[in-house]
DNA sequence: AACCCTTACAACCGCGTCTTC
DNA sequence: AGAAGACGCGGTTGTAAGGGT
């Protein structure tokens, strides 16, 4: 059955925010008569509103049993748990939270919980860890202090005196160690994952000597360039200021398929794979990386991404986490050699 | 001080489902 | 059984408030 309009178009009923006077009229009427038929209520209550608007105002705002104020941590937990099982069934979720309305929970989810989960690296839709390439790169950007929407897309990995992470030699060591670990992981991912194809990749994996080489480059700096295109993030390249350049770009870009989105590396749903040429001349199938595909030959392994992500999640959660790590590490002497 | 951007939340819209006749 | 009316849900939009530049 098609939609039945609640109120006639151009019928002159008021829309928009409710006034205190309207609230009072509605509350007074319902407290005396009950709401009865919402369609006829406005006329009876002396309101120039449509019944639907009255119902919404009552159920979401005026009802006496509505609980106002901040959501507690316990409520957060309940919402997240219920959402993982029920999805966007806000009214059902609201049924488990006395005093909270579906609209309030929906808004709270969209403005708070959703962001919180995303920051934690959890996909708010699936409630599973996020594994998309953009997310990982954004985490990397965040760690390295590169504003994701900055017009200046050049980030400084080493030697940034403005970065509190490298304020002292001890902290410098720890920060560098962490960043090296991140880069190592990222490069290993690129090396092992045919979904990503590097342009002019000279080496995929940094060994200790290479790391030292990077760090002992012309000026001791390592740059991370965040390539931007019309559709946003397009990749990274690593550059120590001399001739060592590592380009890390999404697979699609190297094939000039600019209308494609960056593929999810571990997809929850099967996707069509494509054969890609690797820099060593071999080719492999960028097959669907579903949970059922555990073939050792499938280089789209989720293992590295998971460890990478775990690492990011553990190391990047908050500034205070960093502080703790740095404080702890400051008691440790740096190794004499790599 | 003025403008712009972001955030939070109230309210609206359109559709599916339920109820009544 | 089916048509019409009413209700409820979930997605989307509008806007006020606050913060940043």
């Amino acid at each position: 059955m098609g939609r039945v309009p609640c109120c006639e178009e151009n019928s002159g009923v008021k829309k928009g925010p409710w006034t205190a006077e309207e609230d009072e009229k509605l509350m007074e009427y319902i407290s005396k008569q009950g709401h009865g038929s919402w369609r006829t209520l406005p006329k009876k209550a002396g309101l120039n509103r449509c019944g639907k608007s009255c119902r919404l105002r009552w159920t979401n705002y005026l009802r006496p049993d509505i609980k106002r104020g901040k959501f507690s941590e316990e409520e957060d937990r309940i919402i997240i748990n219920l959402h993982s099982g029920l999805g966007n069934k806000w009214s059902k979720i609201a049924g488990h939270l006395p005093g909270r309305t579906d609209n309030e929970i929906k808004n709270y989810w969209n403005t708070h919980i959703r962001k919180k989960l995303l920051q934690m690296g959890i996909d708010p839709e699936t409630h599973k860890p996020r594994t998309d390439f953009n997310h990982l790169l954004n985490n990397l950007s965040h760690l390295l202090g590169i504003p994701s929407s900055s017009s200046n897309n050049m980030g400084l990995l080493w030697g940034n005196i403005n970065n509190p992470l490298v304020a002292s030699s001890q902290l410098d060591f720890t920060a560098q160690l962490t960043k090296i670990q991140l880069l190592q992981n990222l490069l290993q991912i690129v090396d092992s994952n045919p979904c990503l194809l590097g342009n002019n990749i000279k080496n995929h994996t940094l060994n200790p000597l290479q790391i030292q080489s990077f760090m002992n480059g012309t000026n001791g700096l390592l740059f991370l360039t965040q390539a931007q295109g019309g559709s946003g993030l397009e990749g990274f390249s690593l550059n120590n200021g001399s001739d060592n350049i590592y380009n890390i770009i999404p697979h699609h870009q190297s094939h000039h398929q600019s209308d494609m989105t960056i593929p999810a590396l571990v997809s929850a749903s099967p996707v069509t794979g494509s054969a890609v040429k690797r820099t060593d001349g071999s080719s492999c199938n960028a097959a669907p990386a579903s949970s059922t595909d555990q073939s050792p030959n499938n280089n789209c392994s989720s293992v590295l991404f998971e460890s990478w992500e775990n690492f990011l999640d553990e190391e990047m959660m908050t500034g205070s986490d960093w502080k703790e790590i740095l404080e702890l590490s400051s008691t440790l002497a740096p190794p004499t050699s790599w």
Side-chain angles (χ1 to χ4, degrees):
Chain A
M1 186 176 132
R3 176 179 167 252
V4 180
C6 172
C7 306
E8 285 299 320
E9 202 69 30
N10 306 319
S11 61
V13 293
K14 196 180 167 207
K15 288 183 178 181
W18 280 63
T19 64
E21 196 186 339
E22 288 174 314
D23 283 349
E24 205 176 322
K25 276 186 181 175
L26 182 59
M27 281 203 289
E28 196 183 335
Y29 180 84
I30 292 178
S31 65
K32 285 180 183 167
Q33 315 286 330
H35 62 73
S37 164
W38 287 111
R39 183 165 279 245
T40 56
L41 181 145
K43 202 173 179 182
K44 290 179 187 170
L47 288 161
N48 186 26
R49 292 271 182 176
C50 80
K52 207 169 179 175
S53 178
C54 293
R55 181 180 59 80
L56 212 64
R57 184 64 180 171
W58 174 256
T59 54
N60 287 338
Y61 200 83
L62 297 175
R63 242 172 49 200
D65 59 330
I66 282 183
K67 194 169 160 185
R68 295 254 151 234
K70 226 172 158 272
F71 280 75
S72 67
E73 281 185 24
E74 178 62 17
E75 286 176 311
D76 281 10
R77 261 197 301 279
I78 292 170
I79 293 169
I80 292 167
N81 282 340
L82 290 170
H83 187 273
S84 70
L86 298 169
N88 295 358
K89 301 290 176 195
W90 305 117
S91 61
K92 286 194 168 59
I93 293 171
H96 290 81
L97 292 163
R100 300 293 188 185
T101 69
D102 54 353
N103 203 39
E104 193 180 11
I105 293 168
K106 178 176 60 184
N107 284 331
Y108 184 64
W109 175 271
N110 287 327
T111 56
H112 293 90
I113 299 179
R114 199 168 179 280
K115 284 180 194 165
K116 206 163 138 185
L117 292 176
L118 286 170
Q119 280 176 356
M120 291 165 71
I122 297 168
D123 185 332
E125 308 305 321
T126 63
H127 293 257
K128 290 176 180 170
R130 296 175 70 200
T131 51
D132 55 290
F133 190 63
N134 261 340
H135 162 60
L136 297 174
L137 291 183
N138 282 336
N139 268 348
L140 183 64
S141 304
H142 179 248
L143 175 67
L144 301 175
I146 305 167
S148 59
S149 59
S150 168
S151 56
N152 176 5
N153 64 3
M154 181 70 80
L156 214 54
L157 283 186
W158 273 275
N160 185 349
I161 57 169
N162 294 321
N163 187 337
L165 289 176
V166 291
S168 72
S169 59
Q170 285 279 345
L171 299 187
D172 189 47
F173 161 72
T174 309
Q176 288 184 14
L177 183 64
T178 308
K179 288 167 181 176
I180 288 164
Q181 178 68 56
L182 285 172
L183 292 171
Q184 182 76 27
N185 287 354
L186 182 55
L187 292 169
Q188 281 178 2
I189 289 162
V190 172
D191 183 40
S192 64
N193 202 307
C195 298
L196 309 169
L197 188 64
N199 242 2
N200 306 319
I201 292 180
K202 296 169 77 173
N203 291 294
H204 296 156
T205 307
L206 291 173
N207 61 38
L209 278 176
Q210 289 170 319
I211 290 166
Q212 200 144 32
S213 160
F214 261 109
M215 294 177 70
N216 293 339
T218 52
N219 53 8
L221 304 179
L222 179 62
F223 296 95
L224 182 80
T225 305
Q226 188 176 358
Q228 298 280 339
S231 58
L233 183 66
E234 291 194 357
F236 280 96
S237 72
L238 301 175
N239 175 5
N240 72 342
S242 59
D243 60 346
N244 297 325
I245 299 171
Y246 290 72
N247 291 320
I248 302 169
I249 60 174
H251 160 52
H252 73 83
Q253 193 187 339
S254 65
H255 287 260
H256 307 291
Q257 293 172 338
S258 58
D259 54 325
M260 280 176 65
T261 54
I262 294 171
L265 293 167
V266 181
S267 173
S269 58
V271 292
T272 305
S274 61
V276 293
K277 273 227 174 285
R278 305 195 59 183
T279 49
D280 61 5
S282 65
S283 67
C284 59
N285 196 9
S290 70
S291 58
T292 54
D293 188 357
Q294 300 295 332
S295 163
N297 293 329
N298 178 12
N299 284 338
C300 284
S301 165
S302 66
V303 176
L304 278 170
F305 270 91
E306 282 167 7
S307 57
W308 163 259
E309 186 154 50
N310 289 341
F311 181 81
L312 289 174
D313 287 343
E314 284 165 19
E315 304 299 326
M316 295 175 58
M317 283 302 291
T318 65
S320 60
D321 290 341
W322 270 109
K323 202 178 165 197
E324 276 179 29
I325 292 164
L326 296 175
E327 280 170 359
L328 181 68
S329 65
S330 67
T331 64
L332 303 170
T336 52
S337 70
W338 288 95

